[in-house]
């Protein structure tokens, strides 16, 4: 499914490669989610369904259990008997399939613009940069919608969304991390690097939480919050605001609220943000453990020669639908697929935000 042949409009393949690289460089800083998933590069020339495969050991008493993907590593607790081969464990796997979908958009420009603007090539590049941001935020929103549909949920107060009218607390964070640890969910130790190529980089082990900027103040007020400027070592992620105990918090407007979905906005004694001033807006905070979800990354894969995005520029020229050659376009397309691979590795914590 890599883009090959004459698919770039009026760009040569060499120009298109440069354009896609610039497109990716503009998009990558906005991709705050996908770097934490398990990366499955887009395969070339295959069907529209991609298989995400998960390997594990099993001996009949441990290993994979249930559709949610619980994993308990089977242990070898029986002493070896001299000269006798133990029963051993079986290497097994589970496939999860998801259909790849294609997304894209375009913007137009005119021959008059090209004839009268002194810096046409740089402006076309600016168009490309803006479209790169659009593509990135589109992909982020699609992935966020998958993650927030997970089945494991905690509420800041009460037992359902319509009760929620209090902010995140240290106690709530500890409830989530305790659940991760009891379910043997490991911390994230590597992430996808912010480069156009498919490369990973190590990080200090931690869980990650995706939050909306409206929740930032409540997180900063939690005892033990460490601002990114006080990190002893290592580099902050794009959008990262800081850390509380085992959790690093990443902020983006993509992680939007359920408007007016909670309890009375001032029912807890402290006013919460509310769209209409009646009920509290409920913010889904997404906590992630290692290998919690699979995703096709918005990257070039140098091993297979595939890339999950392309750009095309068509300059104004006479056609049947545009006989005077007045209109041109610049466009992007990408392939996307994401799915939760381990329900125990994703927690949606629903909270309100202090006004």
């Amino acid at each position: 499914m890599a883009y090959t042949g004459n698919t770039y409009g009026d760009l040569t393949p060499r120009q298109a490669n440069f354009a896609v690289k610039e497109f990716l460089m503009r998009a990558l800083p906005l991709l705050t989610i996908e770097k934490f998933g398990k990366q499955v590069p887009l395969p070339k020339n295959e069907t529209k369904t991609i298989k995400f495969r998960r390997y594990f050991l099993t001996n009949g008493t441990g290993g994979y259990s249930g559709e949610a993907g619980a994993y308990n590593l089977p242990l070898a607790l029986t002493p070896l008997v001299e000269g006798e081969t133990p029963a051993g464990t079986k290497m097994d796997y589970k496939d999860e399939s998801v259909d790849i979908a294609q997304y894209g958009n375009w913007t137009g420009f005119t021959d008059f613009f090209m004839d009268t603007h002194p810096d046409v090539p740089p402006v076309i590049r600016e168009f490309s940069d803006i479209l790169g941001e659009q593509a990135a935020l589109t992909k982020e929103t699609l992935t966020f919608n998958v993650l927030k549909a997970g089945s494991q949920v905690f509420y800041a107060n009460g037992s359902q969304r319509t009760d929620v009218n209090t902010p995140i607390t240290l106690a709530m964070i500890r409830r989530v991390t305790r659940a991760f640890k009891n379910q043997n969910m490991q911390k994230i130790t590597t992430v996808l690097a912010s480069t156009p190529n498919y490369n990973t980089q190590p990080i200090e082990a931690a869980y990650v939480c995706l939050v909306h900027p409206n929740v930032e103040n409540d997180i900063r007020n939690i005892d033990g919050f460490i601002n990114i400027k006080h990190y002893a070592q290592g580099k902050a992620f794009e959008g990262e605001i800081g850390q509380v105990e085992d959790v690093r918090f990443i902020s983006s407007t993509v992680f939007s609220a359920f408007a007016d979905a909670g309890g009375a906005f001032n029912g807890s004694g402290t006013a919460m943000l509310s769209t209409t001033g009646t009920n509290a807006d409920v913010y889904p905070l997404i906590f992630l453990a290692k290998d919690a979800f699979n995703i096709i990354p918005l990257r070039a894969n140098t091993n297979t020669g595939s890339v999950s995005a392309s750009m095309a520029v068509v300059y104004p020229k006479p056609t049947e639908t545009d006989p005077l050659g007045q209109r041109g376009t610049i466009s992007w397309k990408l392939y996307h697929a994401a799915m939760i691979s381990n329900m125990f590795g994703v927690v949606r914590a629903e909270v309100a935000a202090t006004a």
Side-chain angles (χ1 to χ4, degrees):
M1 288 184 182
Y3 293 92
T4 59
N6 186 22
T7 58
Y8 314 112
D10 293 327
L11 297 180
T12 66
R14 182 176 180 180
Q15 291 172 327
N17 288 337
F18 177 79
V20 169
K21 183 176 180 180
E22 292 294 311
F23 171 84
L24 292 176
M25 290 299 292
R26 186 67 172 254
L28 295 182
L30 300 175
L31 294 173
T32 55
I33 305 178
E34 76 169 42
K35 62 169 60 70
F36 302 113
K38 185 174 182 180
Q39 313 299 320
V40 182
L42 182 68
K44 292 179 64 176
N45 303 321
E46 295 188 13
T47 66
K48 68 176 184 178
T49 300
I50 187 170
K51 287 185 178 180
F52 295 128
R53 177 164 292 183
R54 187 164 184 257
Y55 290 95
F56 54 90
L57 292 175
T58 180
N59 61 2
T61 60
Y64 180 83
S65 69
E67 290 304 313
Y71 183 71
N72 298 297
L73 190 67
L75 305 180
L77 300 178
T78 303
L80 295 176
V81 177
E82 181 179 356
E84 294 187 13
T85 302
T89 54
K90 178 184 177 183
M91 180 67 72
D92 210 340
Y93 63 87
K94 180 175 177 61
D95 282 338
E96 300 284 357
S97 297
V98 61
D99 285 345
I100 298 168
Q102 190 179 53
Y103 300 87
N105 211 331
W106 64 278
T107 189
F109 56 93
T110 66
D111 62 331
F112 186 84
F113 168 85
M114 295 188 68
D115 291 341
T116 59
H117 201 287
D119 300 311
V120 171
V123 172
I124 294 295
R125 182 177 297 178
E126 286 295 322
F127 289 172
S128 172
D129 287 345
I130 295 170
L131 289 174
E133 294 180 9
Q134 182 188 51
L137 294 177
T138 296
K139 198 170 193 298
E140 283 283 280
T141 302
L142 292 168
T143 305
F144 177 64
N145 289 341
V146 170
L147 295 178
K148 75 179 182 181
S151 60
Q152 191 169 206
V153 58
F154 292 81
Y155 300 101
N157 63 280
S159 58
Q160 57 189 354
R161 184 174 300 162
T162 53
D163 296 330
V164 174
N165 59 3
T166 59
I168 186 174
T169 62
L170 179 59
M172 185 177 202
I173 294 172
R174 287 176 172 173
R175 285 168 59 201
V176 174
T177 56
R178 179 173 61 189
F180 277 159
K181 292 171 183 178
N182 284 337
Q183 293 161 167
N184 295 322
M185 293 296 100
Q186 299 178 29
K187 298 175 182 176
I188 297 170
T189 55
T190 59
V191 297
L192 196 62
S194 294
T195 64
N197 292 325
Y198 178 78
N199 297 315
T200 59
Q201 62 186 36
I203 63 168
E204 185 176 353
Y207 299 118
V208 166
C209 182
L210 311 175
V211 306
H212 189 275
N214 286 350
V215 184
E216 287 185 21
N217 289 341
D218 293 325
I219 295 171
R220 295 180 191 277
N221 289 333
I222 293 174
D223 288 341
F225 173 81
I226 301 173
N227 192 291
I228 57 173
K229 67 182 180 181
H230 295 140
Y231 283 2
Q233 60 183 3
K235 182 180 178 182
F237 303 123
E238 291 88 353
E240 184 171 5
I241 63 170
Q243 183 167 350
V244 176
E245 296 187 346
D246 296 330
V247 182
R248 297 173 68 167
F249 290 87
I250 315 296
S251 176
S252 170
T253 54
V254 169
F255 314 139
S256 57
F258 301 109
D260 296 313
F265 81 101
N266 57 0
S268 65
T270 301
M272 298 290 131
L273 292 178
S274 171
T275 299
T276 64
T278 303
N279 294 92
D281 295 335
V282 177
Y283 292 86
L285 312 187
I286 307 300
F287 288 79
L288 299 172
K290 182 179 180 180
D291 294 340
F293 68 99
N294 294 327
I295 190 169
I296 293 176
L298 189 67
R299 300 294 198 281
N301 185 345
T302 55
N303 294 325
T304 65
S306 66
V307 63
S308 61
S310 75
M311 295 197 67
V313 175
V314 177
Y315 293 118
K317 53 181 174 290
T319 65
E320 290 184 3
T321 57
D322 183 15
L324 297 183
Q326 295 173 288
R327 298 184 296 275
T329 61
I330 179 170
S331 62
W332 62 268
K333 292 189 298 185
L334 63 80
Y335 285 103
H336 174 79
M339 67 172 296
I340 296 175
S341 57
N342 192 332
M343 285 293 182
F344 291 130
V346 179
V347 169
R348 186 178 74 254
E350 300 194 359
V351 307
T354 303

